[in-house]
Amino acid sequence: MSSKELLYVEDFLGHEQYFLQHCCEVKECVEDEKLEKLIHKLEKKNQDLVSKFFGLL
């Protein structure tokens, strides 16, 4: 893997970490149960995406 490709991987992981952190913060502030479930669903989908990404590596 080239250094440029490693930078892409690093960038992707940084964005995913930021997204998950934001989901956790927002989920704590949300009072609507439907929104909380939606955020949880997005977190799960995101974690699955990261797992598939690591599977490709």
Side-chain angles (χ1 to χ4, degrees), residues 10-57:
E10 216 175 88
D11 192 42
F12 169 77
L13 293 175
H15 286 289
E16 292 304 312
Q17 183 180 15
Y18 176 78
F19 177 78
L20 286 175
Q21 182 182 9
H22 240 27
C23 283
C24 290
E25 291 172 4
V26 170
K27 193 167 58 173
E28 291 176 6
C29 298
V30 170
E31 295 178 5
D32 184 24
E33 190 176 319
K34 287 182 181 181
L35 282 176
E36 192 174 333
K37 286 181 181 180
L38 176 64
I39 293 168
H40 180 70
K41 192 184 228 182
L42 288 172
E43 282 179 308
K44 174 75 173 115
K45 200 170 190 177
N46 190 56
Q47 289 171 346
D48 291 344
L49 177 67
V50 171
S51 294
K52 287 179 184 178
F53 181 76
F54 275 118
L56 292 173
L57 294 177

